[in-house]
Each structure stands twice: as C-alpha cells, then as structure tokens.
Amino acid sequence: MGYNTEDFKAKPCIGILNTWSEMNNCHTHFRDRAEEVKRGVWQAGGFPIEIPVMSLSESFMKPTSMYYRNLLALEVEETLRCYPLDGTVLMGGCDKTVPALVMGATSANIPSIFLPSGPMLKGCWKGETLGSGTDMWKYWAERQAGNLCEDGWNELEDSIARSPGHCMTMGTASTMTAVVEALGLCLPGSTSIPAVHSTHARMASACGRRIVDLAWDKVSPRELLTEESFHNAIVTDMALGGSTNAIVHLIAMAGRAGIKLSLDQFDEISQQLGVIANIRPCGEYVMEDFYDAGGILALLSQVKDHLNLDCPTVSGESLGKNIEGAEVFNDDVIRPLSRSLSKAGGTFVLRGNLAPDGCVIKPTAADEKLLHHSGPAAVFSDYGDLKERIHDESLALTADHIIVLQNAGPIGAPGIPEWGMLPIPNYLLKQGIRDMVRISDARMSGTSYGACVLHIAPESAIGGPLALVRDGDQIELNVTERRLHMDVSEEELAKRKAEWKPRPARHQRGYGKLYADEITQAPEGCDFKFLHQGEDSPEPDIF
Ligand code: FES
C-alpha cells in the first residue's frame, strides 16, 4: 500500500466508513470529505484507512432504502469487528445511512464519531424557494390537478436539488443527523452546516483530529448512548417537528444500546413542548436558513430546560457545555418556546381497535380540520391495487372518505416503504381538495405532509386489524384523544379474522427470506431480532 512502518507504528488506526456512491446524490462530496478527514487523522497522530460500505440512496433503491437499513448496520458492525481498527468516522446523511451507521457502530462499540453529510443548498424556481421533497409533492399535486405543464415540471426538477448534501427540508435526514448530534455522537453544531460550505470541509478535518483522541481514551458509543441522551434526542425531534421516521429509527438505535424506548415516551415528550423550527414541511424555511439562524446549537439552547445537560458527547464536553453561548440570529426561523409553531411537539401516538400496538401522525403537517374526522373507508389491498384504482372516478370517493392501504408494512410491502402519503384521487385534486385522512401500515417521507396515519401495528400482513377493514366501514380519527377506531362490532371482527389468510411468503431465499424471518414491527424499531443488543459477540479468533 506504499506506507512505511513508521506511518502506522504505534498509531491509532482509524477506519473512515464512507457511504459515497455515484448512486447516491446526497453523498457526492464524500470523496473530498474523506480526504479532509484523513488530513485531520494524520495531524493528530493517527493512521487513517478509508473503507467503503454500502450506500443507501433514498432516491433510487427498490423497494425502499429502509429494506436495507439493517443490512448496512450489519455490514458496519462486522466491518468494525473484523478489521484491526481503534476508532471510526461514520460518514452518512442520506436518510437510512444515519441510523444504520449508528446502529452498527453501537453494536461493535468501538470509539466512533459521526460525520454528517450536511444539507444541500436551498432550491429556487422562478424566484420562489423550493424545499426538496416537500415542494416536489406540492407541485406533483398541482401537476395531477392539471395546473402545471410538463415543461414546468421538468424546470422544477432541475431547480430543486442543486448541490451535494441531503434533503434540506426537515425530512428524515435533517431530523436524524440532528438527533444523532443531540445523542452526543457529532461535533457541536456540525449537523446544520450546509454540505458545500467551506466550514463543512473544516468540520471533516476536525472529526479526523477528534477521533484520534477518542480512540486513545477508548470512548465507546455505549458510554454516550444512555436513557438520558435518548431523552435529549426525543426532545430535539419534537422541537424540530421531525420526521415520523425518527421514532422507528430511535427505537432501533436505542435497542442496540440495550435501551428499550416505548411509543408512549415519544407522545409524553411531544406534549411538553411545541415545534420551534420553522422549517418545511411544518414551517416556512429550509435548512440553509436554519444554519444561518444559529443551527442546532441555537435550537437546543431554546429547549435546554427539557434536556439532560450533563450528558457527555464526543467533543469531550457535556451537551450543556456545547450549547453554552449559542445564539439565535433569526427568531422567525428558530422560535422561542413562547412563540412555537404548535402547542405540542411534532409527532403524536394513537391507539384503538385499528392499531392496538400503536401508530403515529404528524399533526403539524396535516389540515387541522381533519384531526378529528369520521368517514367511510375506501380500502386498497396493496400498493398495486392502489395504483390501479385510486383515480377511478367510478369509486366516487369524496373528501370525507378515509383512504386505507393494507399490506404496506415491514413484512407486507416488504420494507415498510414511504407510501403512507397515499395519493388523493385526481378528480378530487381538480376540485381543489389537497388533504384527506389516509391510513396505512407504511411510513411516510419526512418531507411529506397530510393527515396520514402511519406505522399501524400490528401490520395487516400478519393479521393486524388493518387487514380486516372493508369498504364502507366507518372509521374515526381523533388526534386529541389519541384514538383510531373502526366502528365494527367485536363479533364481526372475530368473524373476519377467522376468514383471514396470510399471503404466501414472497421470498424463499436470500436477504428477502432473512428479512421476513427476522424483522420486527414498527413499535420495536423494525430491527432484526437477532441484532438486538444482548450478549456481546465474541472477538473474532486470529489464526
Ligand atoms: Fe438523500 Fe433525501 S434523497 S436525504
């Protein structure tokens, strides 16, 4: 490899896990960043080794990047275990790369620091700011309603993502990188820096320098990931108005640290503070504005009374010390709690005879008048059925109907894809309707919006009550009372359950079979059962 013995002798060996790929538009700057990390590692007296790992590209993976989150987590864990490494820099940002890298490093438990890809620049089209995902969904509805032509749509596509970096709305990537910082795994303020800002390159070198110290001091992720730091992560998620996906990922990440988070903890914390990040899809601005307004440290300083400030972080200082002196430079972007965007936090947990194990909704991203709504069910048995029939005018759906999608959960789809913002029929879009109650066992992109009830558990593919809903059943959504109920008698539900049959297994071999055999439901984080933290795996033998 061209190194002298002196280059690596008695130096901590730092593995730089790089999720760069030409298939992942969010990480196209990672080749440069890896070099900048190496510079920092050399400067601090370490020995850097770059190691490519699987890249989970949100835009291009079939059936969904979530299907492969656990595969990347497994690859990371075993990569860190099998090579002679003393520490690692985890390079990620695009949605599922973030929890996957943290899950794997937590299980391997070697000193780790997370290097966030940073958000891309804001989009701009005809003088109007565009937010990735959020404005694509918005204008797609206009296109379907006949208000935007093909050329306009193509122009918009060219204008919405104009630099490397992850989605710059408060989607899953912005949410997850921020909560990983709140957990203590990132350098202070690093998760808000735009991907192409020169500070981002400097931050990468600083990660390289810092991981060498962490390796000498043997500071491992499970020392930092505690019940208190996960509390901080949930507070951050709620104050951000974060992606509903954060719940699934945080439960899975905590599980790797041997900590059990329940859906009720998220709901309890959501009642204690409102959303203060005025970022799309709940708000008005995008992540570049958030950075200029003071970024994550400024936001954390606004909610510091809700945080465990003594939690240690990779900076070597406590979270409280990291946010000392943080200032808000634009209090319309980062609001004080007294002027929050909503009275409560970003995500609520519902239960009822349709979701005995729970489901979630993001009220701040929904039409308020739908948060208490009853209507007849219009049921689609799977995504193919939905695509085929949703725009069929003979179904004669109205704005009062509740659209129900079955078989879109972890096993049913498989992979619990982001199908939960179910399409509104084109003929209703043309009438000006832009939101309806929609329920499913799928997830929804953090950049999406609407009165969408998600992650219904147990899922329909394993015989959960969602599988028993039929066209015309009356369903009630009552967000204030945290209730999702179908008005069908117990006797009738028992009769339907007796008639219900599971679909044949989709995969007989390979990753699909492993996935179906091992995946857990959304309230358990959709991790594989055999990857939950139990006994540590033994060190590999050396021959
Ligand atoms: Fe990568 Fe949105 S496509 S974060």
Side-chain angles (χ1 to χ4, degrees):
M1 293 161 73
Y3 293 113
N4 290 320
T5 308
E6 291 68 34
D7 289 336
F8 54 84
K9 198 170 172 188
K11 290 180 175 156
C13 183
I14 304 299
I16 302 165
L17 298 201
N18 194 346
T19 51
W20 174 89
S21 162
E22 282 187 338
M23 268 291 180
N24 194 333
N25 49 296
C26 300
H27 294 179
T28 51
H29 55 322
F30 268 4
R31 278 179 153 174
D32 290 342
R33 294 295 174 272
E35 293 306 315
E36 287 141 6
V37 174
K38 287 179 199 170
R39 186 169 72 204
V41 173
W42 285 121
Q43 286 168 349
F47 177 58
I49 289 285
E50 185 180 349
I51 307 171
V53 289
M54 185 178 191
S55 194
L56 307 181
S57 171
E58 193 59 29
S59 309
F60 298 117
M61 292 189 94
K62 295 183 286 185
T64 159
S65 63
M66 181 65 176
Y67 187 59
Y68 294 104
R69 184 198 67 183
N70 298 344
L71 184 60
L72 173 57
L74 184 57
E75 184 192 6
V76 168
E77 177 180 349
E78 296 307 320
T79 299
L80 296 179
R81 183 168 289 125
C82 70
Y83 288 127
L85 301 173
D86 300 298
T88 181
V89 178
L90 309 165
M91 298 180 65
C94 189
D95 278 29
K96 314 305 177 290
T97 57
V98 182
L101 288 162
V102 172
M103 287 160 71
T106 305
S107 291
N109 206 32
I110 73 163
S112 307
I113 195 165
F114 189 88
L115 192 167
S117 71
M120 65 177 83
L121 294 176
K122 64 173 81 170
C124 185
W125 181 51
K126 297 187 172 173
E128 185 193 337
T129 295
L130 294 176
S132 41
T134 304
D135 285 297
M136 190 272 287
W137 306 120
K138 178 176 139 189
Y139 282 102
W140 181 247
E142 296 307 320
R143 174 119 180 81
Q144 297 303 103
N147 300 332
L148 182 66
C149 67
E150 180 76 14
D151 287 348
W153 175 252
N154 290 337
E155 266 182 35
L156 182 132
E157 188 179 6
D158 288 345
S159 310
I160 203 164
R162 52 179 181 167
S163 84
H166 62 66
C167 287
M168 73 333 228
T169 42
M170 192 48 70
T172 304
S174 302
T175 308
M176 288 310 300
T177 48
V179 301
V180 168
E181 179 165 339
L183 282 168
L185 295 176
C186 302
L187 289 183
S190 60
T191 56
S192 312
I193 306 168
V196 294
H197 199 295
S198 55
T199 301
H200 198 271
R202 288 190 285 272
M203 178 271 291
S205 289
C207 285
R209 286 190 292 274
R210 184 65 197 142
I211 189 62
V212 176
D213 292 340
L214 292 170
W216 280 118
D217 294 343
K218 298 197 181 338
V219 179
S220 58
R222 278 188 247 151
E223 276 177 53
L224 306 177
L225 300 181
T226 58
E227 289 187 7
E228 290 73 25
S229 66
F230 275 100
H231 172 92
N232 290 345
I234 300 172
V235 168
T236 306
D237 176 27
M238 294 304 160
L240 287 170
S243 162
T244 45
N245 292 323
I247 293 189
V248 180
H249 297 318
L250 277 168
I251 291 172
M253 288 156 59
R256 296 302 186 95
I259 296 165
K260 192 163 169 44
L261 295 182
S262 73
L263 288 182
D264 295 332
Q265 280 172 270
F266 288 86
D267 199 70
E268 272 163 31
I269 295 174
S270 81
Q271 299 320 300
Q272 293 166 13
L273 72 170
V275 174
I276 59 167
N278 189 4
I279 310 290
R280 299 177 199 196
C282 295
E284 197 182 331
Y285 298 94
V286 294
M287 289 303 286
E288 206 178 321
D289 305 309
F290 184 69
Y291 176 67
D292 291 339
I296 184 68
L297 297 180
L299 178 127
L300 292 174
S301 72
Q302 297 298 297
V303 296
K304 66 174 188 288
D305 292 346
H306 296 264
L307 298 170
N308 297 304
L309 297 173
D310 293 336
C311 286
T313 74
V314 291
S315 73
E317 301 285 1
S318 66
L319 184 69
K321 198 83 184 155
N322 288 348
I323 64 175
E324 246 177 45
E327 277 184 73
V328 174
F329 302 111
N330 182 337
D331 68 1
D332 192 35
V333 179
I334 300 174
R335 303 271 187 95
L337 277 170
S338 57
R339 279 198 297 115
S340 57
L341 268 72
S342 62
K343 287 198 193 75
T347 313
F348 287 16
V349 175
L350 316 172
R351 285 198 169 81
N353 69 349
L354 239 174
D357 292 346
C359 58
V360 302
I361 188 168
K362 190 172 180 177
T364 44
D367 184 338
E368 213 178 325
K369 68 179 186 303
L370 292 172
L371 298 178
H372 188 181
H373 178 84
S374 295
V379 182
F380 298 87
S381 61
D382 56 34
Y383 194 61
D385 182 34
L386 179 84
K387 269 179 29 185
E388 201 177 303
R389 296 193 298 125
I390 188 67
H391 302 301
D392 180 351
E393 295 196 28
S394 70
L395 293 183
L397 301 189
T398 68
D400 281 341
H401 272 88
I402 293 185
I403 305 177
V404 178
L405 176 64
Q406 300 167 327
N407 289 301
I411 292 175
I416 189 167
E418 294 182 342
W419 293 340
M421 192 175 91
L422 309 177
I424 292 171
N426 286 344
Y427 56 93
L428 293 182
L429 287 174
K430 285 180 184 147
Q431 291 168 26
I433 291 158
R434 292 291 183 272
D435 200 2
M436 289 173 74
V437 176
R438 292 159 271 177
I439 72 173
S440 72
D441 43 15
R443 293 175 304 114
M444 164 173 105
S445 164
T447 64
S448 303
Y449 50 85
C452 303
V453 177
L454 310 157
H455 313 178
I456 287 182
E459 66 170 303
S460 49
I462 59 170
L466 184 66
L468 311 179
V469 186
R470 295 194 180 157
D471 280 334
D473 287 347
Q474 202 67 18
I475 294 178
E476 188 203 355
L477 168 67
N478 186 333
V479 173
T480 312
E481 292 181 7
R482 307 287 192 281
R483 207 163 96 97
L484 182 67
H485 180 80
M486 62 174 150
D487 197 9
V488 180
S489 70
E490 300 253 326
E491 297 75 43
E492 174 61 17
L493 287 176
K495 186 167 149 271
R496 292 183 192 177
K497 178 84 186 183
E499 289 164 3
W500 179 83
K501 285 193 181 54
R503 293 181 170 195
R506 196 180 168 98
H507 296 274
Q508 302 303 326
R509 63 167 300 281
Y511 180 69
K513 169 123 178 65
L514 174 76
Y515 183 95
D517 289 347
E518 290 294 331
I519 196 71
T520 57
Q521 295 287 290
E524 298 158 281
C526 295
D527 199 359
F528 289 156
K529 287 172 238 164
F530 74 98
L531 291 176
H532 282 169
Q533 178 57 28
E535 287 284 298
D536 268 342
S537 301
E539 273 295 295
D541 289 330
I542 300 171
F543 295 99

